[in-house]
Structure formats: C-alpha cells, structure tokens
Amino acid sequence: MNPPWTLVAQFLRQHSHDVCNDLNGLDLEAVLLGEYVTETDGTESITRIRSQIRRLATDLRRLAAKFVEPKPVCALYPASELFLIWQEQPAALDPAPTVFWRDESGTAAVNVDASELAQVFRELLENAQTHGTGAPLSATVTVTDRRVVFELHEPKSAPLDPAGWGSQPFGVMRRGHYGLGLWETHRLVQASGGEITRRFVPDPTELITALSFPLG
C-alpha cells in the first residue's frame, strides 16, 4: 500500500532538515581545518569545499520548502505593479531571456501574495528558457470577464500537448531537476484563488501559459 502523500512530504522535509544539519557540521569542520592549513592550494581547496557544502544545503532547503502547503499572505495589488515585478525576474536568470512586455490592465487590482507570485513568474520564465527555442518571449496582462490574466507566450518549434502539465510532481526528472517547478506554480496560484492554464496554438507556433485571478 502506498503511503499518504502528506507522510511522503513530511519525510522529505524532515530528511532534508537532517541532512542540512550534517552539512552545517561539515562546514564548521572545514572552518576549523582552515585554521591549520596555510598553504595556498590547501586554503583554496577548503574554500571550494565550503562553497559546495553551502550550495548543497541551500538546494536542500529550497527542495524541502516545495513540500510545505502554501499559505499565502494576500493583499490588494494593482495588476500593473505585479506586472512590473514580473519584468524584474529575467535579471535573475543567466542568460537573461528577451521578453516583450505589454500591459493592458489599466487600474485593475487583484488580491494575491506578491512574493509568491514573483516566484511563479520566475519559474515560468526559467522553464520557458530551458525548454524554448531561444526566440524572444512575450508577456501580457489584460482584463477579461472580470478577471486579470497574465499570459506568457513561448515560441515552439513543433506541436505539443500541455494537458496535465504541473498536475503531479516528479513528471520529468534529471540531475538537479525533479519535476517540481510547474507543480509548485500550480499550488501557489491556486492557493491565491487563481487558475493556471496552458494551450498550444499552431499559428504562430507557440505555447501560451495563462495565470487568471478574480478582480480585487
């Protein structure tokens, strides 16, 4: 019998916490070792070891955080202000993608957690960059049927079916990537009362991801 998902998530959080504690201990040992090593090669090696330990600890904390139930702290924000937050996200990526921005939200506002939505925006851009063609992206914010809609348009080289994307974790896994990004974006958007949809259009050949929130 498969264990409940809540127990799996609890195990992953606890295991990550335990491993982080061990990594912190190793970091302290490396600091102590550095007090006795004076040769250049040795000190440089210790610096690299500490950097790797801290990176691993940070990655584990971020991984564990994905299994915490979202508890957004929502407030009323102008959609145009949230769109500006989205425009800040490419700078965090390397290389930064080229994005064309179009704001047609006017004075509309939505009730969301701005920090969590920034995380969603960044994940969408990073995912588009990883799986895209390298062509520029375009992003828009509009008001339709009393909802504020943020859309990301990604050029694609071939047709695809996005049905089911993000509905389950661990969809596609490879080194350093565990199929959790899109799943987490769905949870964050839904926790703020929003919806996330994807559709492929053949002309032009592109994938459109839409985040939709009720007007505040």
Side-chain angles (χ1 to χ4, degrees), residues 28-39:
L28 290 175
E29 290 294 333
V31 172
L32 179 62
L33 183 61
E35 297 293 326
Y36 297 97
V37 176
T38 57
E39 297 180 358

Side-chain angles (χ1 to χ4, degrees), residues 160-175:
L160 50 80
D161 181 8
W165 287 12
S167 60
Q168 295 290 335
F170 313 123
V172 178
M173 291 188 284
R174 63 184 190 280
R175 179 178 174 82

Side-chain angles (χ1 to χ4, degrees), residues 45-153:
S45 178
I46 291 173
T47 299
R48 288 193 297 271
I49 290 171
R50 294 191 65 197
S51 176
Q52 291 173 359
I53 289 173
R54 291 179 176 182
R55 177 180 56 79
L56 287 172
T58 298
D59 288 348
L60 275 174
R61 292 189 188 97
R62 289 174 177 169
L63 183 62
K66 294 181 182 296
F67 296 98
V68 177
E69 284 299 317
K71 295 180 180 179
V73 180
C74 295
L76 199 61
Y77 292 92
S80 57
E81 182 178 321
L82 296 170
F83 199 56
L84 288 175
I85 291 176
W86 196 0
Q87 293 176 51
E88 296 171 355
Q89 304 313 308
L93 305 179
D94 185 20
T98 299
V99 187
F100 298 113
W101 308 94
R102 180 167 57 89
D103 183 353
E104 296 183 358
S105 62
T107 59
V110 288
N111 194 44
V112 297
D113 185 318
S115 63
E116 288 194 349
L117 194 56
Q119 183 178 336
V120 169
F121 287 151
R122 186 165 54 252
E123 174 62 32
L124 293 180
L125 290 173
E126 185 173 5
N127 189 72
Q129 182 184 45
T130 300
H131 303 287
T133 62
L137 311 172
S138 63
T140 64
V141 56
T142 58
V143 179
T144 305
D145 297 329
R146 295 195 57 77
R147 297 184 72 86
V148 172
V149 182
F150 299 89
E151 285 190 347
L152 179 66
H153 296 240

